[in-house]
């Protein structure tokens, strides 16, 4: 009897242990958390097609439109003038920039002029006797002949006999030799062809100047030009006298220029054309770097968006009833940051900022803040 009771107790203990173990295991299991569906908020704008100006960016350095490189055509010692020959020195039109010692050559010119005067004087008796009708005008020429002034033009010779007589005495040859020497004498003095500033000075007072030697560089500071390279795609869109907006490197000041010249050649290596933009401003200096925005074209029925919103295969995301969708568009112009699109229907909502992980059919909600229309 005792053994039967112990056996029954043992079985009951085993059964109780089994149920207790099951309860412990079941108590450790946790209920699964409910996954909430996340709906991303997107920024959108309503499309309104319009006219978009195609702006072609370009850049370059300013150069003076009028510039003169100063070279010596004669030899002599560079003499001191009224102003120091130094870079940055301003000169007015007609003011002497360079003066070379011409005392020796000046004496040669005076000697040649004196010989011409004496030669004409020697034929006066023959003119009085043989050609009395032309004697008065040659007499008047001698009366007005001044060795300290430029040699005056010879009197007009009206008859063949007069021409033969004057030419046979060597007067024409001597006259043109004198005029040639006078022209060369003028090269000992270089005057400013326009008002401007000396930007380069390669000689100083007392320097021996030789023919062909570069002396400096002189520029006009009233107007500058900038050479820019434009893609040949826009060669037929650029127009002369088109207004151009120029910005300095720090983007602190803008200037207004205009297209002055367009080169007819296309660079074979870069497939670009050269355009030249004229600009005036007292703050501008030669060598300044500026960025230009050329108004190449007006594109109608188009919009402009950021380039990172354009997807592969020329598609963009739109929002239809809180669901992302794609449409095919036609890009017509790309800039560094923007793209101009056509074939975008009016009134639809498009994304204005990229969405990470976006896909077609994705559930989204529009930002409730104020949104502006894309109008151009």
């Amino acid at each position: 009897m005792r053994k039967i009771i112990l056996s029954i107790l043992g079985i009951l203990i085993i059964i109780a242990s089994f149920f207790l173990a099951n309860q412990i295991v079941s108590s450790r299991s946790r209920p699964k958390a409910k996954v909430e569906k996340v709906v991303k908020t997107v920024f959108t704008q309503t499309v309104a097609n319009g006219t978009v100006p195609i702006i072609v960016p370009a850049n370059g350095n300013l150069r003076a439109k009028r510039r003169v490189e100063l070279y010596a055509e004669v030899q002599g010692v560079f003499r001191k003038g009224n102003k120091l020959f130094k870079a940055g020195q301003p000169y007015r039109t007609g003011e002497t920039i360079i003066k070379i010692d011409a005392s020796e050559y000046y004496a040669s010119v005076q000697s040649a002029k004196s010989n011409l005067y004496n030669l004409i004087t020697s034929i006066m008796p023959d003119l009085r006797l043989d050609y009395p009708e032309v004697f008065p005008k040659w007499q008047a020429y001698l009366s007005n002949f001044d060795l300290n002034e430029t040699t005056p033009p010879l009197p007009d010779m009206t008859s063949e006999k007069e021409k033969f007589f004057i030419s046979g005495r060597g007067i024409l040859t001597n006259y043109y030799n004198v005029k040639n020497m006078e022209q060369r004498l003028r090269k000992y003095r270089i005057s400013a062809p326009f008002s401007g500033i000396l930007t380069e000075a390669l000689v100083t007072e007392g320097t021996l100047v030789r023919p062909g030697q570069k002396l400096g560089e002189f520029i006009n500071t009233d107007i500058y030009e900038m050479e820019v390279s434009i893609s040949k795609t826009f060669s037929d869109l650029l127009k002369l006298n088109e207004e151009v907006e120029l910005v300095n490197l720090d983007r602190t000041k803008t200037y207004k220029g205009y297209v002055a010249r367009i080169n007819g050649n296309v660079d074979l290596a870069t497939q670009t054309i050269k355009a030249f933009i004229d600009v005036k401003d007292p703050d501008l200096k030669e060598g300044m770097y500026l960025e230009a925005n050329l108004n190449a074209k007006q594109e109608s029925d188009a919009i402009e968006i950021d380039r990172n919103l354009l997807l592969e295969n020329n598609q963009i995301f739109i929002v239809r009833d809180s669901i992302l969708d794609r449409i095919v568009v036609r890009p017509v112009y790309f800039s560094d940051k923007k793209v101009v699109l056509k074939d975008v229907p009016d009134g639809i909502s498009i994304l204005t900022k990229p969405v990470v992980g976006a896909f077609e059919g994705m559930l989204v909600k529009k930002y409730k803040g104020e949104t502006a229309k894309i109008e151009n």
Side-chain angles (χ1 to χ4, degrees):
M1 191 67 181
R2 183 182 177 188
K3 290 181 179 179
I4 294 172
I5 294 172
L6 292 174
S7 299
I8 294 172
L9 289 174
I11 293 171
L12 291 175
I13 292 172
I14 293 172
I15 294 172
S17 299
F18 177 76
F19 282 105
L20 183 60
N22 286 336
Q23 289 181 358
I24 294 173
V25 172
S26 62
S27 66
R28 291 182 178 179
S29 62
R30 298 179 180 176
K32 294 183 179 179
K34 293 183 179 180
V35 179
E36 295 183 0
K37 195 169 185 179
V38 178
V39 180
K40 290 189 176 181
T41 301
V42 295
F43 294 89
T44 61
Q45 287 182 326
T46 304
V47 173
N49 284 282
T51 301
V52 180
I54 302 298
I55 306 297
V56 181
N59 52 67
N61 296 93
L62 291 180
R63 284 179 60 85
K65 190 168 185 178
R66 300 183 67 187
R67 64 190 312 108
V68 176
E69 291 186 344
L70 306 174
Y71 283 88
E73 297 184 64
V74 294
Q75 180 171 315
V77 178
F78 184 18
R79 293 301 184 191
K80 181 179 179 181
N82 295 329
K83 295 182 178 180
L84 288 176
F85 188 75
K86 298 290 184 182
Q89 181 67 53
Y91 292 91
R92 296 188 301 273
T93 303
E95 195 171 0
T96 301
I97 301 177
I98 295 172
K99 185 177 181 181
I100 300 173
D101 186 11
S103 56
E104 182 179 350
Y105 191 76
Y106 176 77
S108 300
V109 174
Q110 292 299 96
S111 176
K113 290 168 69 175
S114 178
N115 288 336
L116 175 64
Y117 183 84
N118 293 336
L119 187 59
I120 296 175
T121 303
S122 67
I123 66 169
M124 295 304 292
D126 295 333
L127 286 176
R128 182 190 291 271
L129 294 175
D130 299 334
Y131 306 98
E133 68 279 4
V134 300
F135 175 80
K137 65 181 179 182
W138 285 96
Q139 182 64 43
Y141 180 80
L142 285 179
S143 300
N144 295 325
F145 197 101
D146 188 350
L147 291 177
N148 295 320
E149 301 292 335
T150 303
T151 303
L154 293 175
D156 293 333
M157 289 170 279
T158 55
S159 65
E160 291 292 332
K161 290 182 179 181
E162 181 184 5
K163 291 179 182 178
F164 292 153
F165 180 80
I166 297 299
S167 177
R169 297 299 178 93
I171 293 177
L172 291 178
T173 302
N174 278 269
Y175 170 77
Y176 287 111
N177 285 337
V178 170
K179 297 302 290 184
N180 181 53
M181 294 179 71
E182 286 180 339
Q183 289 295 326
R184 187 169 180 82
L185 181 62
R186 294 178 181 176
K187 296 177 180 179
Y188 282 84
R189 175 181 175 270
I190 300 177
S191 302
F194 45 79
S195 298
I197 289 178
L198 190 69
T199 58
E200 186 180 25
L202 303 177
V203 293
T204 56
E205 290 83 353
T207 303
L208 177 62
V209 176
R210 294 177 174 82
Q213 180 179 352
K214 185 177 181 180
L215 308 178
E217 193 167 300
F218 185 70
I219 67 169
N220 178 268
T221 56
D222 292 338
I223 183 169
Y224 295 90
E225 68 176 9
M226 185 175 74
E227 178 184 318
V228 295
S229 298
I230 306 297
S231 173
K232 66 174 184 179
T233 307
F234 304 104
S235 60
D236 58 334
L237 303 179
L238 288 178
K239 296 180 180 179
L240 290 176
N241 300 321
E242 184 82 21
E243 188 173 296
V244 181
E245 183 182 90
L246 302 169
V247 185
N248 61 2
L249 191 59
D250 299 327
R251 298 190 174 275
T252 56
K253 190 171 183 180
T254 59
Y255 310 92
K256 286 186 178 180
Y258 63 93
V259 179
R261 305 191 311 278
I262 301 174
N263 199 339
N265 263 353
V266 176
D267 191 287
L268 297 178
T270 61
Q271 290 297 293
T272 58
I273 61 172
K274 302 289 186 183
F276 299 86
I277 301 169
D278 285 0
V279 58
K280 293 181 180 181
D281 196 280
D283 295 336
L284 294 175
K285 303 292 182 184
E286 182 167 270
M288 283 182 63
Y289 179 87
L290 297 180
E291 295 180 357
N293 294 317
L294 302 172
N295 296 318
K297 185 182 179 183
Q298 299 286 331
E299 194 68 53
S300 60
D301 295 327
I303 63 171
E304 186 179 47
I305 64 172
D306 292 338
R307 287 190 62 165
N308 55 8
L309 296 175
L310 184 65
L311 308 175
E312 296 180 357
N313 301 322
N314 295 332
Q315 295 180 334
I316 61 172
F317 276 121
I318 65 172
V319 180
R320 285 179 178 163
D321 299 328
S322 300
I323 295 176
L324 284 186
D325 195 4
R326 294 188 184 193
I327 62 170
V328 178
V329 295
R330 179 162 59 93
V332 294
Y333 174 71
F334 290 90
S335 65
D336 293 340
K337 298 180 180 180
K338 299 287 186 178
V339 57
V340 178
L341 304 177
K342 294 180 75 73
D343 298 342
V344 183
D346 284 327
I348 66 171
S349 296
I350 67 171
L351 297 185
T352 57
K353 292 184 179 181
V355 178
V356 178
F359 58 88
E360 192 173 354
M362 180 179 179
L363 185 64
V364 296
K365 83 178 165 180
K366 297 181 181 179
Y367 178 65
K368 296 299 183 181
E370 183 179 352
T371 58
K373 292 184 178 180
I374 298 181
E375 296 180 348
N376 295 286

